[in-house]
């Protein structure tokens, strides 16, 4: 049985973070309507570089402290949080973004020269 982690995991995601839900597209799949992510978010997820490389974390609650250094002062915090949470799942760092139970310490910042997201995932107790 896997033991829960007690220490924080820190990494940096290089690339201009984008929100997932702005400019999403509705498509029909097998007769049902489906919302697909925005193209800018999909490009960010595919092109972002995570350093150091992070393996899948143990399934347990985490606080996600994310410092969003954006390339421009636009977008809302919730959109960026949702986009990052979904990306962490897509990259295989978390099996499900529902394990992020808090966003304490998260900030929206600007760095036009080096956009990135500095992430610290700290196990929490419930």
């Amino acid at each position: 049985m896997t033991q829960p982690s007690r220490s924080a995991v820190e990494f940096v995601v290089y690339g201009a973070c984008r929100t997932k839900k702005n400019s999403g597209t509705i498509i029909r799949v097998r007769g049902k309507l489906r919302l697909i992510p925005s193209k800018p978010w999909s490009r960010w997820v595919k092109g972002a570089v995570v350093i150091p490389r992070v393996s899948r974390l143990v399934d347990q609650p985490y606080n996600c402290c994310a410092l969003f250094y954006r390339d421009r002062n636009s977008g809302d915090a919730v959109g960026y949080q949702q986009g990052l949470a979904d990306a962490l799942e897509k990259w295989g760092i978390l099996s499900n973004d529902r394990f992020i139970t808090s966003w304490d310490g998260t900030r929206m910042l600007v760095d036009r020269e080096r956009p990135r997201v500095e992430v610290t995932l700290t196990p929490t107790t419930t």
Side-chain angles (χ1 to χ4, degrees):
M1 181 170 158
T2 306
Q3 292 296 317
S5 173
R6 302 265 185 247
S7 59
V9 175
E10 296 180 0
F11 55 94
V12 179
V13 181
Y14 290 96
C17 182
R18 297 292 182 244
T19 61
K20 181 177 182 182
K21 298 188 170 69
N22 284 356
S23 307
T25 304
I26 298 174
I27 62 170
R28 187 173 299 275
V29 178
R30 295 184 188 110
K32 294 182 181 180
L33 295 179
R34 184 170 170 215
L35 178 66
I36 60 173
S38 69
K39 288 182 182 178
W41 180 83
S42 295
R43 282 193 300 267
W44 173 67
V45 169
K46 288 178 186 166
V49 177
V50 178
I51 298 179
R53 187 173 170 175
V54 180
S55 298
R56 176 159 299 191
L57 300 178
V58 172
D59 289 348
Q60 63 182 22
Y62 291 93
N63 175 68
C64 181
C65 173
L67 303 178
F68 292 94
Y69 290 92
R70 301 163 293 154
D71 58 348
R72 60 183 180 263
N73 191 11
S74 66
D76 62 276
V78 171
Y80 281 100
Q81 291 168 355
Q82 289 173 337
L84 176 61
D86 289 339
L88 293 174
E89 192 174 323
K90 189 111 174 143
W91 294 326
I93 295 172
L94 295 176
S95 66
N96 193 312
D97 62 5
R98 71 180 169 87
F99 289 112
I100 299 175
T101 57
S102 58
W103 290 88
D104 293 349
T106 295
R107 300 285 181 269
M108 304 299 289
L109 306 160
V110 175
D111 185 343
R112 287 172 175 73
E113 302 301 316
R114 288 186 328 127
R116 65 197 180 281
V117 185
E118 296 178 2
V119 180
T120 303
L121 291 170
T122 307
T124 61
T125 56
T126 56

